[in-house]
Amino acid sequence: FKHPEDRDSFEATIQRINAGESHTFEYRAFRPNGEIRYIRQNEVPIFDAEGRVVESVGTSIDLTDLRIAEASARQSQRIEAIGTLTGGIAHDFNNLLAVILGNLELSLEVETDAEKKELTQSAIKATLRGAALTKNLLSFARRAQLEPQRLNLNQLIQSTMQWSARVLPATLAIQNSLMDGLWDVELDATSAENAIINILLNGRDAMPDGGTITIETLNVQIDEENFDAQFDAIEPGKYVMIAISDTGHGIPPEMINKVFEPFFTDKPVGLGSGLGLSMVQGFIK
């Protein structure tokens, strides 16, 4: 049941214990269902009258919850540090774009040459795209100026699906299971649309030969009795859940803890910034 990467060091430690040394060591073990547990072992050799080791006694302590909490804390600290840096850069960059945009719009008012006007308009479009990117960066850093409004997620999803068909190939089918009587929520509509589109595009990339994306909504009541570890970041209360799934190849287990890391991507160079899911997570939080 030992993890393959820990077997050699485990066996070497056991040999030293059998040679008469006491040891405290850690290793990973598999439970019968395949779950990995982190174990700390304390072992003391027992000697007979001639000084030979006849057995060892000790304790096994399950440190899994502690190791998961430590990894989560490190991840939060790393993302917080990157978020602070990204937020600061994006804020300053946004100020520069505002100056550029203002001057471009002024030049458009005084420009009479049609060809130059077209060039100026192209520059304005590029500047607006840059401003949209900085808003996403600020959303990741949780510093965006959001404009929350009361809306129904079912309606938002339906309108998003209508125009998202233009960026999704015909080989993808989108189906939905939207709950009747879904509660209203208060959130920034543009950021919510961007979050949905980001996940839809991830689904597209995971299904190059086609497949199905399913969007579901559900009213969720979280109280003290059914509180689950997956809800550790929110308080008990009434929530609306949106779930998006696809029939793609899935995420390898070794990558599952990295998908929200800023700038992490498994896509080829030039096809992904690695900011999509981290911006979604920043907005949701």
Side-chain angles (χ1 to χ4, degrees), residues 209-236:
D209 300 321
T212 302
I213 296 177
T214 303
I215 305 179
E216 304 168 77
T217 56
L218 189 68
N219 292 333
V220 178
Q221 176 78 47
I222 302 174
D223 54 38
E224 297 293 347
E225 292 182 5
N226 65 10
F227 193 79
D228 190 275
Q230 64 179 311
F231 302 130
D232 61 351
I234 59 177
E235 297 293 327

Side-chain angles (χ1 to χ4, degrees), residues 152-203:
N152 189 280
L153 268 178
N154 284 349
Q155 296 172 359
L156 181 79
I157 289 168
Q158 287 168 338
S159 65
T160 303
M161 287 171 62
Q162 288 175 357
W163 67 264
S164 67
R166 291 176 293 178
V167 297
L168 296 175
T171 53
L172 286 186
I174 302 183
Q175 59 186 27
N176 63 58
S177 176
L178 306 180
M179 181 180 185
D180 290 334
L182 193 71
W183 297 326
D184 284 351
V185 294
E186 216 174 69
L187 81 172
D188 183 271
T190 302
S191 296
E193 284 183 350
N194 286 337
I196 294 170
I197 288 297
N198 259 306
I199 298 175
L200 292 181
L201 293 179
N202 270 10

Side-chain angles (χ1 to χ4, degrees), residues 70-141:
E70 289 174 344
S72 177
R74 285 194 298 271
Q75 172 79 345
S76 297
Q77 290 169 353
R78 185 162 58 246
I79 290 180
E80 185 69 27
I82 296 175
T84 301
L85 176 64
T86 305
I89 293 173
H91 181 73
D92 291 342
F93 190 59
N94 215 32
N95 290 338
L96 293 173
L97 286 175
V99 175
I100 295 170
L101 183 62
N103 282 283
L104 286 170
E105 289 174 341
L106 286 173
S107 66
L108 201 59
E109 292 178 6
V110 298
E111 187 59 66
T112 55
D113 187 289
E115 187 174 345
K116 288 183 179 178
K117 267 193 172 184
E118 186 178 345
L119 291 172
T120 303
Q121 287 169 341
S122 296
I124 288 175
K125 288 180 182 178
T127 306
L128 291 172
R129 284 198 298 272
L133 174 60
T134 58
K135 182 178 180 181
N136 286 337
L137 289 170
L138 288 167
S139 179
F140 153 65

